[in-house]
Amino acid sequence: QVQLMDSGGGLVQAGDSLRLSCAASGGAFSYYTAGWFRQAPGKEREFVAGMSRSGDRLYYADSVKGRFAISRDNVKNTVYLQMNSLKPEDTAVYYCAARSGLLVQYTRVDYDYWGQGTQVTVSS
């Protein structure tokens, strides 16, 4: 059973960049479809970005398209979320997730494994 550990969050100013990491143990990330979700206070957890198991299909929420990029390093068994041009509305707890299926899904119930979350706060 794969275990995920998120890291890389922090407090930044609007316009800054952050890179989140999600390290997997107990299984190879290349055998899973990966996703990043976020949850702001009082809001539902929402899909941010996803990568198919093959790694060749990437998906993004409209709100982050062109600013965020998901990637995977098979040697380090880690998935990343590069976040550029951050906005205050990006403030949330960010979670990485994995599922055994081939394709990216957009709802949390479709993912089997979750990281513990990492806080991202963007000040204006």
Side-chain angles (χ1 to χ4, degrees):
Q1 181 172 344
V2 68
Q3 294 181 324
L4 307 178
M5 180 168 291
D6 309 322
S7 63
L11 172 63
V12 297
Q13 293 186 332
D16 286 350
S17 298
L18 274 177
R19 188 177 77 162
L20 306 183
S21 299
C22 177
S25 59
F29 229 135
S30 57
Y31 293 163
Y32 297 88
T33 290
W36 284 97
F37 287 73
R38 67 186 181 187
Q39 188 165 15
K43 294 189 176 181
E44 295 287 323
R45 192 171 299 188
E46 64 175 0
F47 173 84
V48 175
M51 172 183 284
S52 62
R53 195 165 74 183
S54 63
D56 61 349
R57 296 188 178 188
L58 308 179
Y59 301 86
Y60 298 96
D62 288 342
S63 59
V64 306
K65 204 169 291 183
R67 300 188 297 122
F68 290 13
I70 185 172
S71 62
R72 186 176 72 201
D73 186 328
N74 290 336
V75 173
K76 295 183 177 180
N77 209 20
T78 299
V79 168
Y80 301 98
L81 184 67
Q82 178 66 43
M83 306 186 297
N84 300 324
S85 302
L86 283 161
K87 304 175 181 180
E89 51 263 44
D90 294 319
T91 295
V93 178
Y94 283 71
Y95 300 88
C96 73
R99 61 186 303 270
S100 302
L102 292 173
L103 302 178
V104 171
Q105 300 293 337
Y106 302 99
T107 56
R108 61 184 295 183
V109 297
D110 291 311
Y111 287 79
D112 306 303
Y113 308 102
W114 290 86
Q116 81 285 1
T118 184
Q119 176 72 47
V120 173
T121 304
V122 185
S123 64
S124 57

